[in-house]
Amino acid sequence: MKNLIVILILAFLPFSCFSQNTPKKDEEKSEMKPSKNDDGEWDLTVIDTQFDYFLNAVAKPMSQYSESYLKTKNTFLVNEWNSYYNSGKYRNIIESGIDYNPRENYGIKFEYKLYQVFAYVSWKYGLKMNGLSASDAMR
């Protein structure tokens, strides 16, 4: 009887080692989506400890840009970013697509922060983006 129990335990042991998690479906794509904060303004959350340093010490101040300039640049940069994401290029840097509607009025703070995300990625990882101005890419 003891031998039968030991044999059954040993027979079912490999099955208990399989993963219980279901794999993520291919259709599920992660995207960065703008959201409104408590004040009703559009906000973008960047989860990188060096991004705040970059905004305060490296990036050009917001006063050097107009909202229309940033919106034009962001439209082009988001398209470039999403094409890299969808093609799998720079997979170690670009982990999600960006849901951005150029017809939406996000405000200059949001447009500035989004533009600086692209400048930050260029600064930190050396990713060359065609829509980024040369002075922001080299800083």
Side-chain angles (χ1 to χ4, degrees):
M1 186 68 174
K2 283 185 191 179
N3 291 340
L4 181 60
I5 293 174
V6 171
I7 291 172
L8 286 175
I9 290 174
L10 291 176
F12 289 109
L13 185 63
F15 294 110
S16 66
C17 296
F18 292 125
S19 173
Q20 299 297 317
N21 296 338
T22 57
K24 188 176 179 181
K25 294 180 182 176
D26 290 337
E27 293 128 17
E28 293 179 23
K29 292 186 176 181
S30 58
E31 285 189 318
M32 290 191 313
K33 293 186 178 186
S35 60
K36 289 192 176 187
N37 61 17
D38 294 339
D39 299 332
E41 294 178 348
W42 289 98
D43 195 18
L44 179 67
T45 304
V46 178
I47 305 172
D48 192 323
T49 56
Q50 290 184 335
F51 183 71
D52 289 332
Y53 165 77
F54 176 81
L55 274 181
N56 295 324
V58 179
K60 289 181 183 179
M62 189 183 326
S63 62
Q64 293 203 356
Y65 301 100
S66 70
E67 186 174 355
S68 62
Y69 173 82
L70 291 171
K71 184 174 276 302
T72 302
K73 287 292 195 172
N74 285 340
T75 300
F76 187 78
L77 287 163
V78 165
N79 287 332
E80 187 176 0
W81 180 277
N82 286 338
S83 71
Y84 288 155
Y85 172 70
N86 291 328
S87 70
K89 194 172 185 182
Y90 307 115
R91 190 174 302 272
N92 57 338
I93 298 172
I94 299 175
E95 297 177 351
S96 65
I98 299 174
D99 182 21
Y100 178 81
N101 181 358
R103 294 185 184 108
E104 181 72 44
N105 182 15
Y106 292 109
I108 192 162
K109 289 180 184 177
F110 176 85
E111 297 287 352
Y112 172 76
K113 196 169 183 181
L114 180 60
Y115 183 75
Q116 293 307 325
V117 166
F118 300 120
Y120 173 70
V121 169
S122 175
W123 174 77
K124 184 173 180 180
Y125 300 106
L127 178 64
K128 305 294 182 217
M129 298 191 73
N130 297 324
L132 201 58
S133 70
S135 62
D136 290 326
M138 294 299 189
R139 291 193 68 136

